[in-house]
Amino acid sequence: MGACGSSQAQNPEQEKHNKDIEKNLRDERKKQLQSVKMLLLGAGESGKSTISKQFLVINGCFGEGELKRHKRIIQSNCIDCVKLLLKSCDMSEISPQNHERAERLLNMSTISAQLTPELGQDLKSLLADPTVKSAFEHREELMLPDCASYLFERLDKISDSNYMPTIDDCIRCRQRTTGVIESQFVFKGTQFIVVDVGGQRSERRKWIHCFDNVKIVLFCAALNEYDMTLREDKRVNRMAESLKLFQEICNEPSLLRIPVILFLNKKDLFEEKISNVDLTCLFPEYQGGLSYNSALDFIKGAYCILARKDDRKLFVHVTCAIDRQNVEFVWSAIHNIVTEVALKKTMIM
């Protein structure tokens, strides 16, 4: 008497099926370890898309097709920047010889306009006009893109009929990110997926759809924007908006255990500005004066305190996104972080 437990042997077909499932699960885990999804976030015009393009360049994925695709963007940038300057000018103060050029440009549709050598000469003549030059001195107040000076210096080449963009032209040009842009490349046997989402307020509702399977969050903040306002809402300070956004990302439940790499970007523009504009315009409690290092440490502290969690890893890099050597150094650091995370997951498994 007594209770007997019997275990029925699996038939060969069922056993093979179970082993196939287990193998598929192991393969999927291995695939996830070898694939790294990086979410690139930040407020509009912080430089995150420039960093994304640099990653492609560094990993050999920015070919002739990308150069050709950017040609139209670069030429439109040139036209748009001069138009923006003209719109801020009193037309009665424009030199008589430039009146016709100015009217023609202002009535031109950038969408259909072609930057011909003739139009390039018109743009150069307008940029040499004293009234337009005076407007250029106030370029930050006009929210002229950071790339304007660089593009203006290259107008002859950019308006040439045989123009083909250089990589630096493509890196420097301004294109607003709309929607979700995904870039992929392989580095040392690991597939990296960089998801770049538009930073303007109207784009942020799309962010939450990108949070699944994220291995690392890259957050970009522009150091030089402490005295600037949002393009979409001039009542709001850009750095204040960036800090608020960073706090929201750090407190997002699905990202609490995800490492965050903070790019304090545009250090070159920040170094130029801090020698003239005190940080107290945004942070009244700041007492470091017009010192680059003091101001940088203060801003760094303002971001870091928002990310303080017991199990949150935060890595901070001070960057200049248009400087390839600087971004290469940061990319190396990112790969080291990814390797460390992958090793820990392998040990857990």
Side-chain angles (χ1 to χ4, degrees), residues 54-67:
Q54 289 280 31
F55 287 167
L56 291 174
V57 172
I58 291 166
N59 288 283
C61 299
F62 206 91
E64 187 176 344
E66 283 296 320
L67 297 179

mmCIF file with all atom_site columns, all heavy atoms in Angstrom, residues 54-67:
data_model
loop_
_atom_site.group_PDB
_atom_site.id
_atom_site.type_symbol
_atom_site.label_atom_id
_atom_site.label_alt_id
_atom_site.label_comp_id
_atom_site.label_asym_id
_atom_site.label_entity_id
_atom_site.label_seq_id
_atom_site.pdbx_PDB_ins_code
_atom_site.Cartn_x
_atom_site.Cartn_y
_atom_site.Cartn_z
_atom_site.occupancy
_atom_site.B_iso_or_equiv
_atom_site.pdbx_formal_charge
_atom_site.auth_seq_id
_atom_site.auth_comp_id
_atom_site.auth_asym_id
_atom_site.auth_atom_id
_atom_site.pdbx_PDB_model_num
ATOM 1   N N   . GLN A 1 54 ? 27.939 61.474 -35.691 1.00 0.00 ? 54 GLN A N   1
ATOM 2   C CA  . GLN A 1 54 ? 29.349 61.183 -35.406 1.00 0.00 ? 54 GLN A CA  1
ATOM 3   C C   . GLN A 1 54 ? 29.556 59.690 -35.124 1.00 0.00 ? 54 GLN A C   1
ATOM 4   O O   . GLN A 1 54 ? 30.562 59.105 -35.550 1.00 0.00 ? 54 GLN A O   1
ATOM 5   C CB  . GLN A 1 54 ? 29.839 62.011 -34.214 1.00 0.00 ? 54 GLN A CB  1
ATOM 6   C CG  . GLN A 1 54 ? 30.005 63.493 -34.480 1.00 0.00 ? 54 GLN A CG  1
ATOM 7   C CD  . GLN A 1 54 ? 31.302 63.830 -35.213 1.00 0.00 ? 54 GLN A CD  1
ATOM 8   O OE1 . GLN A 1 54 ? 31.818 63.047 -35.996 1.00 0.00 ? 54 GLN A OE1 1
ATOM 9   N NE2 . GLN A 1 54 ? 31.814 65.028 -34.957 1.00 0.00 ? 54 GLN A NE2 1
ATOM 10  N N   . PHE A 1 55 ? 28.613 59.067 -34.427 1.00 0.00 ? 55 PHE A N   1
ATOM 11  C CA  . PHE A 1 55 ? 28.716 57.627 -34.167 1.00 0.00 ? 55 PHE A CA  1
ATOM 12  C C   . PHE A 1 55 ? 28.767 56.847 -35.489 1.00 0.00 ? 55 PHE A C   1
ATOM 13  O O   . PHE A 1 55 ? 29.535 55.897 -35.633 1.00 0.00 ? 55 PHE A O   1
ATOM 14  C CB  . PHE A 1 55 ? 27.523 57.138 -33.333 1.00 0.00 ? 55 PHE A CB  1
ATOM 15  C CG  . PHE A 1 55 ? 27.557 57.543 -31.888 1.00 0.00 ? 55 PHE A CG  1
ATOM 16  C CD1 . PHE A 1 55 ? 26.422 57.413 -31.091 1.00 0.00 ? 55 PHE A CD1 1
ATOM 17  C CD2 . PHE A 1 55 ? 28.698 58.056 -31.308 1.00 0.00 ? 55 PHE A CD2 1
ATOM 18  C CE1 . PHE A 1 55 ? 26.443 57.778 -29.752 1.00 0.00 ? 55 PHE A CE1 1
ATOM 19  C CE2 . PHE A 1 55 ? 28.730 58.425 -29.964 1.00 0.00 ? 55 PHE A CE2 1
ATOM 20  C CZ  . PHE A 1 55 ? 27.597 58.280 -29.190 1.00 0.00 ? 55 PHE A CZ  1
ATOM 21  N N   . LEU A 1 56 ? 27.932 57.263 -36.449 1.00 0.00 ? 56 LEU A N   1
ATOM 22  C CA  . LEU A 1 56 ? 27.916 56.593 -37.752 1.00 0.00 ? 56 LEU A CA  1
ATOM 23  C C   . LEU A 1 56 ? 29.249 56.788 -38.476 1.00 0.00 ? 56 LEU A C   1
ATOM 24  O O   . LEU A 1 56 ? 29.789 55.853 -39.079 1.00 0.00 ? 56 LEU A O   1
ATOM 25  C CB  . LEU A 1 56 ? 26.769 57.128 -38.607 1.00 0.00 ? 56 LEU A CB  1
ATOM 26  C CG  . LEU A 1 56 ? 25.347 56.764 -38.161 1.00 0.00 ? 56 LEU A CG  1
ATOM 27  C CD1 . LEU A 1 56 ? 24.325 57.486 -39.023 1.00 0.00 ? 56 LEU A CD1 1
ATOM 28  C CD2 . LEU A 1 56 ? 25.134 55.250 -38.229 1.00 0.00 ? 56 LEU A CD2 1
ATOM 29  N N   . VAL A 1 57 ? 29.783 58.003 -38.415 1.00 0.00 ? 57 VAL A N   1
ATOM 30  C CA  . VAL A 1 57 ? 31.068 58.293 -39.059 1.00 0.00 ? 57 VAL A CA  1
ATOM 31  C C   . VAL A 1 57 ? 32.175 57.452 -38.431 1.00 0.00 ? 57 VAL A C   1
ATOM 32  O O   . VAL A 1 57 ? 32.973 56.806 -39.136 1.00 0.00 ? 57 VAL A O   1
ATOM 33  C CB  . VAL A 1 57 ? 31.416 59.800 -38.953 1.00 0.00 ? 57 VAL A CB  1
ATOM 34  C CG1 . VAL A 1 57 ? 32.836 60.061 -39.442 1.00 0.00 ? 57 VAL A CG1 1
ATOM 35  C CG2 . VAL A 1 57 ? 30.425 60.640 -39.753 1.00 0.00 ? 57 VAL A CG2 1
ATOM 36  N N   . ILE A 1 58 ? 32.236 57.450 -37.103 1.00 0.00 ? 58 ILE A N   1
ATOM 37  C CA  . ILE A 1 58 ? 33.288 56.723 -36.378 1.00 0.00 ? 58 ILE A CA  1
ATOM 38  C C   . ILE A 1 58 ? 33.253 55.231 -36.702 1.00 0.00 ? 58 ILE A C   1
ATOM 39  O O   . ILE A 1 58 ? 34.296 54.581 -36.799 1.00 0.00 ? 58 ILE A O   1
ATOM 40  C CB  . ILE A 1 58 ? 33.130 56.951 -34.851 1.00 0.00 ? 58 ILE A CB  1
ATOM 41  C CG1 . ILE A 1 58 ? 33.473 58.407 -34.504 1.00 0.00 ? 58 ILE A CG1 1
ATOM 42  C CG2 . ILE A 1 58 ? 34.010 55.992 -34.056 1.00 0.00 ? 58 ILE A CG2 1
ATOM 43  C CD1 . ILE A 1 58 ? 33.038 58.814 -33.110 1.00 0.00 ? 58 ILE A CD1 1
ATOM 44  N N   . ASN A 1 59 ? 32.045 54.706 -36.923 1.00 0.00 ? 59 ASN A N   1
ATOM 45  C CA  . ASN A 1 59 ? 31.897 53.276 -37.180 1.00 0.00 ? 59 ASN A CA  1
ATOM 46  C C   . ASN A 1 59 ? 31.788 52.943 -38.672 1.00 0.00 ? 59 ASN A C   1
ATOM 47  O O   . ASN A 1 59 ? 31.346 51.856 -39.050 1.00 0.00 ? 59 ASN A O   1
ATOM 48  C CB  . ASN A 1 59 ? 30.684 52.737 -36.421 1.00 0.00 ? 59 ASN A CB  1
ATOM 49  C CG  . ASN A 1 59 ? 30.930 52.668 -34.925 1.00 0.00 ? 59 ASN A CG  1
ATOM 50  O OD1 . ASN A 1 59 ? 31.615 51.768 -34.445 1.00 0.00 ? 59 ASN A OD1 1
ATOM 51  N ND2 . ASN A 1 59 ? 30.410 53.636 -34.184 1.00 0.00 ? 59 ASN A ND2 1
ATOM 52  N N   . GLY A 1 60 ? 32.196 53.896 -39.528 1.00 0.00 ? 60 GLY A N   1
ATOM 53  C CA  . GLY A 1 60 ? 32.288 53.644 -40.962 1.00 0.00 ? 60 GLY A CA  1
ATOM 54  C C   . GLY A 1 60 ? 30.965 53.460 -41.666 1.00 0.00 ? 60 GLY A C   1
ATOM 55  O O   . GLY A 1 60 ? 30.886 52.759 -42.678 1.00 0.00 ? 60 GLY A O   1
ATOM 56  N N   . CYS A 1 61 ? 29.905 54.081 -41.157 1.00 0.00 ? 61 CYS A N   1
ATOM 57  C CA  . CYS A 1 61 ? 28.570 53.899 -41.738 1.00 0.00 ? 61 CYS A CA  1
ATOM 58  C C   . CYS A 1 61 ? 28.011 55.185 -42.345 1.00 0.00 ? 61 CYS A C   1
ATOM 59  O O   . CYS A 1 61 ? 26.792 55.348 -42.457 1.00 0.00 ? 61 CYS A O   1
ATOM 60  C CB  . CYS A 1 61 ? 27.604 53.379 -40.672 1.00 0.00 ? 61 CYS A CB  1
ATOM 61  S SG  . CYS A 1 61 ? 28.078 51.784 -39.997 1.00 0.00 ? 61 CYS A SG  1
ATOM 62  N N   . PHE A 1 62 ? 28.879 56.101 -42.685 1.00 0.00 ? 62 PHE A N   1
ATOM 63  C CA  . PHE A 1 62 ? 28.434 57.371 -43.262 1.00 0.00 ? 62 PHE A CA  1
ATOM 64  C C   . PHE A 1 62 ? 29.037 57.468 -44.664 1.00 0.00 ? 62 PHE A C   1
ATOM 65  O O   . PHE A 1 62 ? 30.087 58.069 -44.878 1.00 0.00 ? 62 PHE A O   1
ATOM 66  C CB  . PHE A 1 62 ? 28.898 58.546 -42.390 1.00 0.00 ? 62 PHE A CB  1
ATOM 67  C CG  . PHE A 1 62 ? 28.033 59.773 -42.507 1.00 0.00 ? 62 PHE A CG  1
ATOM 68  C CD1 . PHE A 1 62 ? 26.959 59.963 -41.654 1.00 0.00 ? 62 PHE A CD1 1
ATOM 69  C CD2 . PHE A 1 62 ? 28.288 60.737 -43.464 1.00 0.00 ? 62 PHE A CD2 1
ATOM 70  C CE1 . PHE A 1 62 ? 26.163 61.091 -41.750 1.00 0.00 ? 62 PHE A CE1 1
ATOM 71  C CE2 . PHE A 1 62 ? 27.507 61.869 -43.568 1.00 0.00 ? 62 PHE A CE2 1
ATOM 72  C CZ  . PHE A 1 62 ? 26.437 62.047 -42.706 1.00 0.00 ? 62 PHE A CZ  1
ATOM 73  N N   . GLY A 1 63 ? 28.354 56.844 -45.627 1.00 0.00 ? 63 GLY A N   1
ATOM 74  C CA  . GLY A 1 63 ? 28.905 56.719 -46.968 1.00 0.00 ? 63 GLY A CA  1
ATOM 75  C C   . GLY A 1 63 ? 28.445 57.792 -47.934 1.00 0.00 ? 63 GLY A C   1
ATOM 76  O O   . GLY A 1 63 ? 27.883 58.830 -47.545 1.00 0.00 ? 63 GLY A O   1
ATOM 77  N N   . GLU A 1 64 ? 28.652 57.529 -49.200 1.00 0.00 ? 64 GLU A N   1
ATOM 78  C CA  . GLU A 1 64 ? 28.332 58.503 -50.248 1.00 0.00 ? 64 GLU A CA  1
ATOM 79  C C   . GLU A 1 64 ? 26.848 58.839 -50.282 1.00 0.00 ? 64 GLU A C   1
ATOM 80  O O   . GLU A 1 64 ? 26.454 59.975 -50.549 1.00 0.00 ? 64 GLU A O   1
ATOM 81  C CB  . GLU A 1 64 ? 28.778 57.962 -51.611 1.00 0.00 ? 64 GLU A CB  1
ATOM 82  C CG  . GLU A 1 64 ? 28.645 58.966 -52.742 1.00 0.00 ? 64 GLU A CG  1
ATOM 83  C CD  . GLU A 1 64 ? 29.173 58.443 -54.060 1.00 0.00 ? 64 GLU A CD  1
ATOM 84  O OE1 . GLU A 1 64 ? 29.905 57.430 -54.058 1.00 0.00 ? 64 GLU A OE1 1
ATOM 85  O OE2 . GLU A 1 64 ? 28.852 59.038 -55.109 1.00 0.00 ? 64 GLU A OE2 1
ATOM 86  N N   . GLY A 1 65 ? 26.023 57.828 -49.990 1.00 0.00 ? 65 GLY A N   1
ATOM 87  C CA  . GLY A 1 65 ? 24.574 58.059 -49.971 1.00 0.00 ? 65 GLY A CA  1
ATOM 88  C C   . GLY A 1 65 ? 24.174 59.112 -48.954 1.00 0.00 ? 65 GLY A C   1
ATOM 89  O O   . GLY A 1 65 ? 23.318 59.959 -49.221 1.00 0.00 ? 65 GLY A O   1
ATOM 90  N N   . GLU A 1 66 ? 24.811 59.062 -47.772 1.00 0.00 ? 66 GLU A N   1
ATOM 91  C CA  . GLU A 1 66 ? 24.526 60.046 -46.729 1.00 0.00 ? 66 GLU A CA  1
ATOM 92  C C   . GLU A 1 66 ? 25.007 61.436 -47.146 1.00 0.00 ? 66 GLU A C   1
ATOM 93  O O   . GLU A 1 66 ? 24.348 62.441 -46.888 1.00 0.00 ? 66 GLU A O   1
ATOM 94  C CB  . GLU A 1 66 ? 25.188 59.638 -45.414 1.00 0.00 ? 66 GLU A CB  1
ATOM 95  C CG  . GLU A 1 66 ? 24.467 58.539 -44.662 1.00 0.00 ? 66 GLU A CG  1
ATOM 96  C CD  . GLU A 1 66 ? 23.086 58.973 -44.203 1.00 0.00 ? 66 GLU A CD  1
ATOM 97  O OE1 . GLU A 1 66 ? 22.926 60.130 -43.760 1.00 0.00 ? 66 GLU A OE1 1
ATOM 98  O OE2 . GLU A 1 66 ? 22.150 58.163 -44.311 1.00 0.00 ? 66 GLU A OE2 1
ATOM 99  N N   . LEU A 1 67 ? 26.162 61.483 -47.802 1.00 0.00 ? 67 LEU A N   1
ATOM 100 C CA  . LEU A 1 67 ? 26.685 62.774 -48.261 1.00 0.00 ? 67 LEU A CA  1
ATOM 101 C C   . LEU A 1 67 ? 25.713 63.411 -49.253 1.00 0.00 ? 67 LEU A C   1
ATOM 102 O O   . LEU A 1 67 ? 25.392 64.603 -49.153 1.00 0.00 ? 67 LEU A O   1
ATOM 103 C CB  . LEU A 1 67 ? 28.060 62.595 -48.915 1.00 0.00 ? 67 LEU A CB  1
ATOM 104 C CG  . LEU A 1 67 ? 29.197 62.064 -48.025 1.00 0.00 ? 67 LEU A CG  1
ATOM 105 C CD1 . LEU A 1 67 ? 30.473 61.924 -48.840 1.00 0.00 ? 67 LEU A CD1 1
ATOM 106 C CD2 . LEU A 1 67 ? 29.443 62.996 -46.834 1.00 0.00 ? 67 LEU A CD2 1
#
